[in-house]
Amino acid sequence: KRRAPGREGLLDRSLLAKLDLAGYEHQRYREALAEVPHLDGETGLQRRMREISYLHLTRFVQILLDRKDRASMAVGLEVRVPFCDHRLVQYVFNTPWAMKTFDGREKSLLRAAARDVLPDAVADRVKSPYPSTQDPRYAVALRDELKQVTADKSAPVQPLLDRGVVADALADPTGAENRAGTELVLGLDTWLRNYGVELEL
């Protein structure tokens, strides 16, 4: 294999060097941290957790809500997210971190607030992450779609790819090792096609 897989693993090396994604991410991260509204006297863990919470609310939650909207509307389902009410979010954001974890667990305030209306099995349940597709057929389907895209000479993503690494990815019968990179390439190709984006490289 020519290169270890990764999110950008299927892209051309010279393109990656020109883009300097690591430098871009570092710059944007610093810009995001500069936005955080700190309180006077905040230090250490309290200050850091405010930063993490702010970045989560202003970056990651937007992605999750967009996914929720797209997935639910695709099947005509109306989904509500009551914990995202802006008044509740603003109130809890400014709650000291020590209060949010007073019992040594995550979601301490929520667990305490709902303790008398939920069964113990629910109130004490371990927090689970946002679901990720684990079905091995998904990675295979991604690989098969990548094969179609790379066979299409008019695919706009073609000039951006490292053909040798892509060939290795297509040779993987499971598709699992290059899943993140394949998702990136397919998403990029769809974006370029649907919006008629022209790249100057």
Side-chain angles (χ1 to χ4, degrees):
K1 295 205 173 162
R2 282 160 249 242
R3 188 163 33 137
R7 191 165 56 105
E8 296 89 22
L10 302 181
L11 299 180
D12 181 74
R13 292 186 196 190
S14 61
L15 171 65
L16 292 175
K18 186 184 295 187
L19 292 176
D20 184 23
L21 295 178
Y24 172 78
E25 289 175 358
H26 180 74
Q27 176 186 340
R28 294 305 308 268
Y29 178 65
R30 290 291 157 207
E31 291 171 1
L33 285 182
E35 296 174 12
V36 179
H38 288 289
L39 298 179
D40 291 341
E42 266 186 337
T43 59
L45 179 64
Q46 176 68 32
R47 181 180 179 89
R48 183 57 180 152
M49 295 315 295
R50 177 177 288 272
E51 292 173 346
I52 291 172
S53 296
Y54 181 86
L55 297 184
H56 178 78
L57 289 170
T58 58
R59 272 70 176 179
F60 188 55
V61 167
Q62 294 178 16
I63 295 170
L64 296 183
L65 292 176
D66 179 68
R67 287 181 183 174
K68 180 271 301 176
D69 284 340
R70 291 173 184 272
S72 60
M73 290 296 102
V75 294
L77 182 65
E78 185 68 35
V79 175
R80 300 293 183 194
V81 282
F83 292 150
C84 285
D85 182 283
H86 68 94
R87 293 160 295 194
L88 180 60
V89 170
Q90 289 169 352
Y91 180 79
V92 175
F93 176 70
N94 286 307
T95 304
W97 182 251
M99 289 182 67
K100 293 178 183 176
T101 57
F102 68 84
D103 61 358
R105 298 188 65 189
E106 77 288 339
K107 298 180 181 277
S108 299
L109 287 178
L110 178 59
R111 290 177 194 278
R115 171 70 60 189
D116 60 341
V117 296
L118 292 174
D120 290 344
V122 174
D124 294 326
R125 186 170 55 195
V126 175
K127 179 182 175 183
S128 61
Y130 192 81
S132 174
T133 304
Q134 301 301 324
D135 190 326
R137 292 173 295 182
Y138 174 69
V140 173
L142 285 176
R143 187 210 57 208
D144 292 345
E145 190 172 344
L146 177 64
K147 187 174 184 178
Q148 293 176 14
V149 167
T150 54
D152 179 2
K153 299 303 181 189
S154 66
V157 78
Q158 286 272 12
L160 311 179
L161 302 178
D162 182 317
R163 296 187 184 281
V165 179
V166 169
D168 287 344
L170 293 176
D172 176 11
T174 68
E177 192 173 351
N178 295 282
R179 174 175 157 172
T182 302
E183 286 177 329
L184 177 68
V185 167
L186 296 177
L188 184 56
D189 187 69
T190 299
W191 177 67
L192 293 169
R193 287 178 193 265
N194 291 352
Y195 293 95
V197 176
E198 294 184 12
L199 301 176
E200 294 182 11
L201 303 174

PDB file of all heavy atoms in Angstrom, residues 109-134:
ATOM      1  N   LEU A 109     -26.790  17.771  35.563  1.00  0.00           N
ATOM      2  CA  LEU A 109     -27.964  18.612  35.781  1.00  0.00           C
ATOM      3  C   LEU A 109     -29.214  17.984  35.183  1.00  0.00           C
ATOM      4  O   LEU A 109     -30.281  17.986  35.808  1.00  0.00           O
ATOM      5  CB  LEU A 109     -27.741  20.001  35.175  1.00  0.00           C
ATOM      6  CG  LEU A 109     -26.779  20.920  35.909  1.00  0.00           C
ATOM      7  CD1 LEU A 109     -26.636  22.232  35.156  1.00  0.00           C
ATOM      8  CD2 LEU A 109     -27.266  21.182  37.324  1.00  0.00           C
ATOM      9  N   LEU A 110     -29.101  17.459  33.988  1.00  0.00           N
ATOM     10  CA  LEU A 110     -30.248  16.840  33.327  1.00  0.00           C
ATOM     11  C   LEU A 110     -30.715  15.608  34.099  1.00  0.00           C
ATOM     12  O   LEU A 110     -31.921  15.414  34.319  1.00  0.00           O
ATOM     13  CB  LEU A 110     -29.891  16.466  31.892  1.00  0.00           C
ATOM     14  CG  LEU A 110     -30.975  15.756  31.086  1.00  0.00           C
ATOM     15  CD1 LEU A 110     -32.232  16.622  30.995  1.00  0.00           C
ATOM     16  CD2 LEU A 110     -30.447  15.399  29.692  1.00  0.00           C
ATOM     17  N   ARG A 111     -29.789  14.797  34.523  1.00  0.00           N
ATOM     18  CA  ARG A 111     -30.153  13.601  35.287  1.00  0.00           C
ATOM     19  C   ARG A 111     -30.885  13.992  36.581  1.00  0.00           C
ATOM     20  O   ARG A 111     -31.894  13.378  36.952  1.00  0.00           O
ATOM     21  CB  ARG A 111     -28.906  12.782  35.628  1.00  0.00           C
ATOM     22  CG  ARG A 111     -28.256  12.097  34.450  1.00  0.00           C
ATOM     23  CD  ARG A 111     -26.981  11.377  34.900  1.00  0.00           C
ATOM     24  NE  ARG A 111     -26.149  10.993  33.778  1.00  0.00           N
ATOM     25  CZ  ARG A 111     -26.330   9.906  33.042  1.00  0.00           C
ATOM     26  NH1 ARG A 111     -27.337   9.094  33.311  1.00  0.00           N
ATOM     27  NH2 ARG A 111     -25.519   9.625  32.046  1.00  0.00           N
ATOM     28  N   ALA A 112     -30.358  15.005  37.261  1.00  0.00           N
ATOM     29  CA  ALA A 112     -30.974  15.435  38.520  1.00  0.00           C
ATOM     30  C   ALA A 112     -32.350  16.048  38.281  1.00  0.00           C
ATOM     31  O   ALA A 112     -33.296  15.783  39.043  1.00  0.00           O
ATOM     32  CB  ALA A 112     -30.061  16.436  39.225  1.00  0.00           C
ATOM     33  N   ALA A 113     -32.468  16.844  37.227  1.00  0.00           N
ATOM     34  CA  ALA A 113     -33.745  17.509  36.948  1.00  0.00           C
ATOM     35  C   ALA A 113     -34.844  16.518  36.580  1.00  0.00           C
ATOM     36  O   ALA A 113     -36.016  16.731  36.894  1.00  0.00           O
ATOM     37  CB  ALA A 113     -33.555  18.516  35.823  1.00  0.00           C
ATOM     38  N   ALA A 114     -34.471  15.428  35.916  1.00  0.00           N
ATOM     39  CA  ALA A 114     -35.467  14.463  35.440  1.00  0.00           C
ATOM     40  C   ALA A 114     -35.559  13.216  36.304  1.00  0.00           C
ATOM     41  O   ALA A 114     -36.334  12.306  35.998  1.00  0.00           O
ATOM     42  CB  ALA A 114     -35.129  14.066  34.003  1.00  0.00           C
ATOM     43  N   ARG A 115     -34.801  13.170  37.396  1.00  0.00           N
ATOM     44  CA  ARG A 115     -34.724  11.965  38.217  1.00  0.00           C
ATOM     45  C   ARG A 115     -36.092  11.487  38.695  1.00  0.00           C
ATOM     46  O   ARG A 115     -36.376  10.303  38.718  1.00  0.00           O
ATOM     47  CB  ARG A 115     -33.803  12.249  39.418  1.00  0.00           C
ATOM     48  CG  ARG A 115     -33.755  11.194  40.485  1.00  0.00           C
ATOM     49  CD  ARG A 115     -33.063   9.926  40.088  1.00  0.00           C
ATOM     50  NE  ARG A 115     -31.683  10.116  39.702  1.00  0.00           N
ATOM     51  CZ  ARG A 115     -30.941   9.156  39.148  1.00  0.00           C
ATOM     52  NH1 ARG A 115     -31.472   7.959  38.932  1.00  0.00           N
ATOM     53  NH2 ARG A 115     -29.705   9.361  38.796  1.00  0.00           N
ATOM     54  N   ASP A 116     -36.987  12.403  39.069  1.00  0.00           N
ATOM     55  CA  ASP A 116     -38.270  11.986  39.643  1.00  0.00           C
ATOM     56  C   ASP A 116     -39.317  11.621  38.590  1.00  0.00           C
ATOM     57  O   ASP A 116     -40.410  11.169  38.956  1.00  0.00           O
ATOM     58  CB  ASP A 116     -38.825  13.077  40.565  1.00  0.00           C
ATOM     59  CG  ASP A 116     -39.061  14.393  39.848  1.00  0.00           C
ATOM     60  OD1 ASP A 116     -38.477  14.587  38.767  1.00  0.00           O
ATOM     61  OD2 ASP A 116     -39.835  15.222  40.365  1.00  0.00           O
ATOM     62  N   VAL A 117     -39.013  11.788  37.315  1.00  0.00           N
ATOM     63  CA  VAL A 117     -39.992  11.445  36.275  1.00  0.00           C
ATOM     64  C   VAL A 117     -39.492  10.342  35.342  1.00  0.00           C
ATOM     65  O   VAL A 117     -40.206   9.943  34.428  1.00  0.00           O
ATOM     66  CB  VAL A 117     -40.392  12.683  35.436  1.00  0.00           C
ATOM     67  CG1 VAL A 117     -41.099  13.708  36.307  1.00  0.00           C
ATOM     68  CG2 VAL A 117     -39.174  13.297  34.750  1.00  0.00           C
ATOM     69  N   LEU A 118     -38.274   9.867  35.561  1.00  0.00           N
ATOM     70  CA  LEU A 118     -37.723   8.816  34.713  1.00  0.00           C
ATOM     71  C   LEU A 118     -37.398   7.576  35.532  1.00  0.00           C
ATOM     72  O   LEU A 118     -36.991   7.683  36.702  1.00  0.00           O
ATOM     73  CB  LEU A 118     -36.424   9.296  34.032  1.00  0.00           C
ATOM     74  CG  LEU A 118     -36.533  10.396  32.988  1.00  0.00           C
ATOM     75  CD1 LEU A 118     -35.141  10.821  32.541  1.00  0.00           C
ATOM     76  CD2 LEU A 118     -37.365   9.939  31.809  1.00  0.00           C
ATOM     77  N   PRO A 119     -37.527   6.402  34.932  1.00  0.00           N
ATOM     78  CA  PRO A 119     -37.076   5.186  35.624  1.00  0.00           C
ATOM     79  C   PRO A 119     -35.562   5.243  35.826  1.00  0.00           C
ATOM     80  O   PRO A 119     -34.845   5.872  35.041  1.00  0.00           O
ATOM     81  CB  PRO A 119     -37.453   4.062  34.650  1.00  0.00           C
ATOM     82  CG  PRO A 119     -38.320   4.670  33.613  1.00  0.00           C
ATOM     83  CD  PRO A 119     -38.087   6.140  33.624  1.00  0.00           C
ATOM     84  N   ASP A 120     -35.081   4.596  36.866  1.00  0.00           N
ATOM     85  CA  ASP A 120     -33.645   4.584  37.138  1.00  0.00           C
ATOM     86  C   ASP A 120     -32.845   4.063  35.947  1.00  0.00           C
ATOM     87  O   ASP A 120     -31.741   4.549  35.659  1.00  0.00           O
ATOM     88  CB  ASP A 120     -33.334   3.734  38.370  1.00  0.00           C
ATOM     89  CG  ASP A 120     -33.808   4.377  39.662  1.00  0.00           C
ATOM     90  OD1 ASP A 120     -34.091   5.596  39.640  1.00  0.00           O
ATOM     91  OD2 ASP A 120     -33.902   3.668  40.679  1.00  0.00           O
ATOM     92  N   ALA A 121     -33.402   3.093  35.219  1.00  0.00           N
ATOM     93  CA  ALA A 121     -32.696   2.511  34.071  1.00  0.00           C
ATOM     94  C   ALA A 121     -32.421   3.562  32.997  1.00  0.00           C
ATOM     95  O   ALA A 121     -31.421   3.480  32.287  1.00  0.00           O
ATOM     96  CB  ALA A 121     -33.511   1.361  33.474  1.00  0.00           C
ATOM     97  N   VAL A 122     -33.294   4.543  32.903  1.00  0.00           N
ATOM     98  CA  VAL A 122     -33.101   5.615  31.925  1.00  0.00           C
ATOM     99  C   VAL A 122     -32.224   6.714  32.511  1.00  0.00           C
ATOM    100  O   VAL A 122     -31.264   7.168  31.893  1.00  0.00           O
ATOM    101  CB  VAL A 122     -34.452   6.199  31.466  1.00  0.00           C
ATOM    102  CG1 VAL A 122     -34.235   7.411  30.547  1.00  0.00           C
ATOM    103  CG2 VAL A 122     -35.277   5.133  30.760  1.00  0.00           C
ATOM    104  N   ALA A 123     -32.542   7.136  33.712  1.00  0.00           N
ATOM    105  CA  ALA A 123     -31.798   8.231  34.343  1.00  0.00           C
ATOM    106  C   ALA A 123     -30.331   7.888  34.567  1.00  0.00           C
ATOM    107  O   ALA A 123     -29.471   8.768  34.533  1.00  0.00           O
ATOM    108  CB  ALA A 123     -32.454   8.607  35.666  1.00  0.00           C
ATOM    109  N   ASP A 124     -30.032   6.617  34.786  1.00  0.00           N
ATOM    110  CA  ASP A 124     -28.658   6.198  35.058  1.00  0.00           C
ATOM    111  C   ASP A 124     -27.947   5.605  33.847  1.00  0.00           C
ATOM    112  O   ASP A 124     -26.821   5.137  33.956  1.00  0.00           O
ATOM    113  CB  ASP A 124     -28.641   5.170  36.197  1.00  0.00           C
ATOM    114  CG  ASP A 124     -29.087   5.784  37.514  1.00  0.00           C
ATOM    115  OD1 ASP A 124     -28.798   6.967  37.735  1.00  0.00           O
ATOM    116  OD2 ASP A 124     -29.737   5.074  38.304  1.00  0.00           O
ATOM    117  N   ARG A 125     -28.618   5.616  32.717  1.00  0.00           N
ATOM    118  CA  ARG A 125     -28.036   5.003  31.523  1.00  0.00           C
ATOM    119  C   ARG A 125     -26.764   5.740  31.093  1.00  0.00           C
ATOM    120  O   ARG A 125     -26.677   6.959  31.178  1.00  0.00           O
ATOM    121  CB  ARG A 125     -29.065   5.040  30.384  1.00  0.00           C
ATOM    122  CG  ARG A 125     -28.611   4.306  29.138  1.00  0.00           C
ATOM    123  CD  ARG A 125     -29.756   4.170  28.151  1.00  0.00           C
ATOM    124  NE  ARG A 125     -30.327   5.465  27.832  1.00  0.00           N
ATOM    125  CZ  ARG A 125     -31.505   5.632  27.232  1.00  0.00           C
ATOM    126  NH1 ARG A 125     -32.247   4.595  26.928  1.00  0.00           N
ATOM    127  NH2 ARG A 125     -31.943   6.841  26.957  1.00  0.00           N
ATOM    128  N   VAL A 126     -25.793   4.983  30.642  1.00  0.00           N
ATOM    129  CA  VAL A 126     -24.534   5.564  30.170  1.00  0.00           C
ATOM    130  C   VAL A 126     -24.790   6.341  28.880  1.00  0.00           C
ATOM    131  O   VAL A 126     -25.541   5.892  28.004  1.00  0.00           O
ATOM    132  CB  VAL A 126     -23.492   4.447  29.920  1.00  0.00           C
ATOM    133  CG1 VAL A 126     -22.218   5.030  29.315  1.00  0.00           C
ATOM    134  CG2 VAL A 126     -23.188   3.716  31.220  1.00  0.00           C
ATOM    135  N   LYS A 127     -24.201   7.497  28.779  1.00  0.00           N
ATOM    136  CA  LYS A 127     -24.362   8.319  27.584  1.00  0.00           C
ATOM    137  C   LYS A 127     -23.787   7.569  26.384  1.00  0.00           C
ATOM    138  O   LYS A 127     -22.715   6.984  26.449  1.00  0.00           O
ATOM    139  CB  LYS A 127     -23.622   9.648  27.767  1.00  0.00           C
ATOM    140  CG  LYS A 127     -23.700  10.560  26.570  1.00  0.00           C
ATOM    141  CD  LYS A 127     -22.895  11.833  26.809  1.00  0.00           C
ATOM    142  CE  LYS A 127     -22.892  12.689  25.552  1.00  0.00           C
ATOM    143  NZ  LYS A 127     -22.066  13.890  25.710  1.00  0.00           N
ATOM    144  N   SER A 128     -24.517   7.614  25.275  1.00  0.00           N
ATOM    145  CA  SER A 128     -24.038   6.960  24.052  1.00  0.00           C
ATOM    146  C   SER A 128     -23.738   8.015  22.999  1.00  0.00           C
ATOM    147  O   SER A 128     -24.409   9.048  22.946  1.00  0.00           O
ATOM    148  CB  SER A 128     -25.084   5.973  23.521  1.00  0.00           C
ATOM    149  OG  SER A 128     -26.278   6.645  23.201  1.00  0.00           O
ATOM    150  N   PRO A 129     -22.748   7.787  22.161  1.00  0.00           N
ATOM    151  CA  PRO A 129     -22.379   8.780  21.148  1.00  0.00           C
ATOM    152  C   PRO A 129     -23.385   8.820  20.017  1.00  0.00           C
ATOM    153  O   PRO A 129     -24.248   7.949  19.882  1.00  0.00           O
ATOM    154  CB  PRO A 129     -21.022   8.270  20.651  1.00  0.00           C
ATOM    155  CG  PRO A 129     -21.089   6.800  20.869  1.00  0.00           C
ATOM    156  CD  PRO A 129     -21.884   6.611  22.135  1.00  0.00           C
ATOM    157  N   TYR A 130     -23.260   9.858  19.185  1.00  0.00           N
ATOM    158  CA  TYR A 130     -24.103   9.970  18.005  1.00  0.00           C
ATOM    159  C   TYR A 130     -23.876   8.722  17.160  1.00  0.00           C
ATOM    160  O   TYR A 130     -22.735   8.331  16.925  1.00  0.00           O
ATOM    161  CB  TYR A 130     -23.727  11.233  17.214  1.00  0.00           C
ATOM    162  CG  TYR A 130     -24.715  11.583  16.137  1.00  0.00           C
ATOM    163  CD1 TYR A 130     -25.884  12.261  16.448  1.00  0.00           C
ATOM    164  CD2 TYR A 130     -24.473  11.233  14.816  1.00  0.00           C
ATOM    165  CE1 TYR A 130     -26.789  12.595  15.462  1.00  0.00           C
ATOM    166  CE2 TYR A 130     -25.384  11.566  13.819  1.00  0.00           C
ATOM    167  CZ  TYR A 130     -26.542  12.252  14.151  1.00  0.00           C
ATOM    168  OH  TYR A 130     -27.435  12.573  13.169  1.00  0.00           O
ATOM    169  N   PRO A 131     -24.949   8.067  16.715  1.00  0.00           N
ATOM    170  CA  PRO A 131     -24.773   6.779  16.016  1.00  0.00           C
ATOM    171  C   PRO A 131     -24.000   6.899  14.710  1.00  0.00           C
ATOM    172  O   PRO A 131     -24.144   7.850  13.965  1.00  0.00           O
ATOM    173  CB  PRO A 131     -26.213   6.319  15.770  1.00  0.00           C
ATOM    174  CG  PRO A 131     -27.031   7.559  15.835  1.00  0.00           C
ATOM    175  CD  PRO A 131     -26.345   8.477  16.805  1.00  0.00           C
ATOM    176  N   SER A 132     -23.188   5.913  14.477  1.00  0.00           N
ATOM    177  CA  SER A 132     -22.428   5.814  13.232  1.00  0.00           C
ATOM    178  C   SER A 132     -22.763   4.479  12.593  1.00  0.00           C
ATOM    179  O   SER A 132     -22.939   3.482  13.290  1.00  0.00           O
ATOM    180  CB  SER A 132     -20.930   5.883  13.532  1.00  0.00           C
ATOM    181  OG  SER A 132     -20.178   5.663  12.369  1.00  0.00           O
ATOM    182  N   THR A 133     -22.885   4.476  11.289  1.00  0.00           N
ATOM    183  CA  THR A 133     -23.252   3.247  10.593  1.00  0.00           C
ATOM    184  C   THR A 133     -22.180   2.187  10.792  1.00  0.00           C
ATOM    185  O   THR A 133     -21.021   2.393  10.447  1.00  0.00           O
ATOM    186  CB  THR A 133     -23.432   3.519   9.091  1.00  0.00           C
ATOM    187  OG1 THR A 133     -24.406   4.544   8.929  1.00  0.00           O
ATOM    188  CG2 THR A 133     -23.877   2.278   8.357  1.00  0.00           C
ATOM    189  N   GLN A 134     -22.562   1.049  11.344  1.00  0.00           N
ATOM    190  CA  GLN A 134     -21.623  -0.038  11.600  1.00  0.00           C
ATOM    191  C   GLN A 134     -21.794  -1.203  10.627  1.00  0.00           C
ATOM    192  O   GLN A 134     -20.983  -2.111  10.598  1.00  0.00           O
ATOM    193  CB  GLN A 134     -21.797  -0.540  13.038  1.00  0.00           C
ATOM    194  CG  GLN A 134     -21.572   0.522  14.094  1.00  0.00           C
ATOM    195  CD  GLN A 134     -20.186   1.133  14.048  1.00  0.00           C
ATOM    196  OE1 GLN A 134     -19.219   0.454  13.755  1.00  0.00           O
ATOM    197  NE2 GLN A 134     -20.084   2.416  14.323  1.00  0.00           N
TER     198      GLN A 134
END
